[in-house]
Structures are given as C-alpha cells and as structure tokens.
C-alpha cells in the first residue's frame, strides 16, 4: 500500500536532480498528501535529492498518532512550526541548494525561510510536485473512478425519486444531491453544487438560490463527489416538461460539441486543439459567442488543476491524465446547456468515468 508513495517520491528525486537542487522543502498540504498519504492540516516535508529515500516528515503533536498510521515509512519530527523546523534541519545537514515551493509560500514565510537558510542556498522551484501530479497512477485513477461512480449513483437516485419536480428550489435540489452522494461513499462534495433552473441555467457558475424549478425550463446541475481526496466533476442538463424547439436545438448542439471534444482527448494532442475540436462545432453553428469559457481542466486532488483545455492552453495530453470536457451554450434570459464528463487519457480512446446518460432527459 505504501509502495506507490515511495514511487512518487523517487520520481520527485529525479526531478530534483534535473533542477539542480539537492533537496526540496514541500509545504503545500495537497503535495504532501500526494507524496506521503498524510491528511492532516499541518505538515512539511524535506525530500533529499539522493538516490535513497531520506525524506523527513514533520507535523505537530496533534497528529502524532495519525501520522504514525499514515506515514509509517518516513523519519518523523514533531514541531508546530513544521516548515521552519525542516529548514533548520536542512541547514544542519548542509544540504546545499534546497528548493522551495515558491508558488505556495507567502512573502512572510519566505523571509523567515531566508533567515533559517543562512547556511544553505534557497532556490525557487515552483511546480515540481504538480508536474508529477499531471499524470495519475492507477491508485489515483481508481479513486477518481469511485468518486465519479458515487456522483452517478446519486444523480440516478435524485431523478428516479422525483427530485427535479416543479416547485422545488435550487437549494433543495443541491442539498438533496449532496446528501445522496454521501450515501454512496463520498466524503463531501467536490465543490459547491451548482443547480440552475430556468433562465439561471444561462449563468455558467450560478449559485443555487430559492428560485423554483418550473415546467418548461432547463435545470443545469454541475456537481462532484470526493473519495480518498480525489474529485469527480460532471454536468448534466435536464428539461422539465416537453422541450421547446430552441431547447432541443441547443442541447443537440452541445451534445455534438461534447462528443467531438471527448474524441479529441488523445495522448499527444495539443490542449488548445482539444478545445478547438469542440468549440469549432459551436462556432460553425453560429453560436461561438455563446460559449465563453474554456473546454475543460485537469482533475485530481484538486477539482481544478492542470492541464487547462482552452484556446490559450499550452501543452499536450499524456496517457494517464484526468481531464473534463464541458462545452456549453448560454442564452441570457432564456436558459443554457452544459454537458460535462470526467475522462482519463488512454491510448486509443479515453476512459469515460462519468457514466450518466447524456441524452436529453425530460422530467
């Protein structure tokens, strides 16, 4: 069970050698969880760049028992000022150049570290752990798969129980869905659930209100579950009662665009080209201005992480990356449609993790 954390730290040590540093001070809690499995609220990690795993883990006394269970394979130090303590140890061990996660360190923290690193050269090394987190291993993909399954089952329960009936409020539906995800193994929602009814469905990131679901309107639901710290992300759009012609038109358009985007999720694909594959379908239909956000994003320990599938996105997809594909068309004052899936990039065709139907469901 601990072997995959050891493999991740070994991969990080290779990056340290390539970056020309002797060690890395890791202070971001998500990166620490990725490298060790620790889930507490205070910790730091000092990763040596040598061939052996000489990583030192530090947390405070509140987590003495928890860390013994979650991080049994590393040298552990207890100190409330975890990062400062490891900085002192780096200086004592004369580690030489020591990198730090500059994208996560405040100005105040940096000033404190500089004082403590008076005998060691402190070097900015942003994004090294995040670079590893781009490609998920099979343990991570299984957690994502379970999170997506919890969301799928909760949505199925909600719909079959009449949870989208006219008269319910957006807030009622959001709370109902989140509770159902908990019942299917989620430890909590990936983010604040979006339920947008009627004209509100034209607002991409609408927050649920006391607005009621009404016959003739769309209901857009963007939500996710969390399992073992990993997030799912899915959007489905429903219509209450018989859909109007304009509703069927934009739903079918978004459905085609989403399919084109999913088909483009291949190893080696430029992220901007994946966006273009879906966006082009909407642009060709004359509705390009009604799709105003990026196509998708990476998902993992954060619900929004690299890579960015957008017109301005940079980089290519690799097998093992987990991404969302979520085109939308939004008509202000009338309503909007978004369809979103979480997928894993695989050789050949991507693995679809969110399995709820993408046909227009009339409730």
């Amino acid at each position: 069970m601990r072997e995959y954390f050891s493999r991740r730290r070994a991969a990080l040590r290779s990056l340290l050698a390539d970056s020309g540093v002797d060690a890395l001070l890791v202070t971001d809690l998500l990166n620490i969880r990725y490298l060790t499995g620790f889930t507490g609220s205070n910790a730091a990690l000092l990763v040596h760049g040598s061939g052996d795993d000489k990583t030192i883990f530090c947390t405070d006394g509140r987590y003495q028992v928890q860390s013994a269970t979650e991080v049994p394979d590393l040298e552990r130090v207890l100190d409330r000022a975890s990062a400062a303590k490891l900085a002192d140890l780096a200086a004592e061990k004369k580690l030489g150049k020591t990198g730090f996660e500059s994208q996560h360190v405040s100005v105040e923290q940096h000033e404190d570290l500089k004082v403590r690193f008076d005998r060691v050269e402190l070097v900015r090394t942003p994004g090294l752990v995040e670079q590893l987190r781009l490609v998920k291993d099979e343990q991570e993909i299984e957690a994502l798969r379970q999170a997506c399954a919890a969301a799928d089952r909760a949505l199925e329960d909600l719909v079959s129980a009449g949870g989208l009936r006219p008269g319910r409020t957006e807030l009622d539906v959001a709370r109902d869905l989140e509770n159902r995800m908990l019942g299917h193994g989620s430890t909590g929602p990936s983010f604040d659930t979006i339920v947008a009814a009627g004209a509100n469905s034209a607002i991409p990131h609408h927050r649920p209100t006391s607005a009621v679901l009404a016959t003739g309107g769309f209901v857009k639901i963007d939500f996710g579950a969390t399992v073992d710290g990993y997030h799912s992300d899915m959007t489905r759009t429903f219509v209450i009662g018989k859909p109007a012609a304009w509703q069927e038109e934009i739903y079918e358009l978004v459905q085609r665009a989403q399919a084109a985007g999913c088909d483009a999720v291949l190893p080696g694909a430029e992220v901007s080209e994946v966006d273009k594959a879906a966006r082009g379908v909407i642009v060709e239909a004359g509705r390009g201005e009604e799709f105003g956000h990026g196509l998708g994003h990476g998902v993992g320990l954060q619900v929004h992480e690299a890579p960015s599938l957008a017109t301005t996105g940079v980089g290519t997809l690799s097998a093992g990356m987990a991404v969302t594909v979520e085109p939308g068309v939004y008509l202000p004052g009338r309503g909007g449609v978004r369809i979103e899936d979480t997928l894993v990039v695989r050789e050949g065709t991507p693995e679809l993790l969110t399995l709820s139907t993408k046909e227009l469901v009339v409730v």
Side-chain angles (χ1 to χ4, degrees):
M1 186 69 176
R2 303 295 309 172
E3 292 179 358
Y4 56 85
F5 292 117
S6 178
R7 288 196 296 269
R8 293 171 190 174
R9 293 193 298 270
L12 178 59
R13 290 196 298 275
S14 295
L15 290 182
L16 299 188
D18 294 340
S19 300
V21 295
D22 301 301
L24 176 68
L25 180 64
V26 183
T27 52
D28 178 72
L29 287 171
L30 287 180
N31 288 341
I32 292 169
R33 179 170 186 165
Y34 174 79
L35 294 168
T36 69
F38 180 69
T39 61
S41 64
N42 178 40
L45 203 63
L46 184 63
V47 181
H48 291 225
S50 65
D52 298 327
D53 193 356
K54 299 177 182 178
T55 302
I56 304 173
F57 172 86
C58 185
T59 186
D60 63 68
R62 295 173 298 166
Y63 298 110
Q64 183 172 2
V65 175
Q66 178 180 330
S67 64
T69 300
E70 293 183 337
V71 195
D73 52 339
L74 293 179
E75 177 183 347
R76 287 180 298 118
V77 179
L78 296 178
D79 197 296
R80 184 78 179 203
S82 297
K85 177 63 176 179
L86 292 186
D88 289 340
L89 288 177
E92 289 175 14
K93 294 176 180 293
K94 299 179 181 179
L95 290 180
K97 290 185 178 180
T98 299
F100 72 102
E101 297 182 302
S102 53
Q103 78 278 26
H104 298 300
V105 173
S106 69
V107 174
E108 285 296 323
Q109 291 168 331
H110 182 238
E111 290 300 314
D112 183 50
L113 289 176
K114 282 199 303 183
V115 172
R116 294 175 181 275
F117 273 91
D118 59 346
R119 287 172 290 163
V120 175
E121 184 179 353
L122 193 61
V123 181
R124 294 177 65 253
T125 50
L128 290 183
V129 182
E130 286 83 353
Q131 184 177 332
L132 295 177
R133 283 171 50 192
L134 275 169
V135 175
K136 274 59 180 176
D137 57 35
E138 288 305 316
Q139 287 79 13
E140 294 178 281
I141 292 171
E142 179 56 28
L144 288 167
R145 196 178 285 122
Q146 291 180 25
C148 291
D152 278 327
R153 290 193 290 266
L155 182 63
E156 181 181 8
D157 288 354
L158 177 76
V159 175
S160 63
L164 298 181
R165 62 185 177 273
R168 296 197 87 192
T169 70
E170 295 170 339
L171 284 169
D172 288 338
V173 174
R175 291 166 181 158
D176 191 353
L177 183 57
E178 289 177 357
N179 285 332
R180 291 176 188 276
M181 286 192 289
L182 292 174
H184 286 293
S186 172
T187 56
S190 291
F191 50 91
D192 291 339
T193 298
I194 295 171
V195 177
N200 289 339
S201 61
I203 303 170
H205 279 185
H206 173 72
R207 293 182 177 180
T209 68
S210 57
V212 298
L213 280 61
T215 301
F218 278 130
V219 182
K220 183 185 70 195
I221 305 178
D222 187 345
F223 67 109
T226 306
V227 172
D228 291 336
Y230 286 82
H231 302 271
S232 69
D233 196 358
M234 174 169 65
T235 306
R236 294 294 185 265
T237 305
F238 303 85
V239 66
I240 301 179
K242 182 176 174 58
W246 70 270
Q247 291 174 317
E248 292 180 323
E249 176 197 343
I250 66 169
Y251 192 94
E252 187 272 338
L253 175 61
V254 173
Q255 191 177 39
R256 285 195 291 114
Q258 208 258 352
C262 290
D263 288 344
V265 173
L266 298 169
E270 294 283 342
V271 293
S272 59
E273 289 299 312
V274 180
D275 179 280
K276 184 178 179 180
R279 192 175 303 276
V281 174
I282 296 174
V283 170
E284 186 176 350
R287 294 193 177 275
E289 293 184 358
E290 293 157 357
F291 175 24
H293 56 75
L295 179 66
H297 52 83
V299 64
L301 285 171
Q302 292 172 289
V303 73
H304 290 94
E305 58 183 45
S308 173
L309 275 59
T311 304
T312 57
V314 177
T316 60
L317 297 181
S318 297
M321 289 183 175
V323 298
T324 67
V325 174
E326 49 181 302
V329 169
Y330 310 96
L331 309 182
R334 299 180 72 186
V337 173
R338 180 163 68 249
I339 302 173
E340 174 186 19
D341 283 311
T342 298
L343 311 95
V344 177
V345 184
R346 300 289 197 186
E347 296 293 342
T349 58
E351 178 184 355
L352 183 65
L353 300 185
T354 40
L355 303 178
S356 296
T357 182
K358 290 181 278 190
E359 296 302 315
L360 179 57
V361 175
V362 178
V363 293

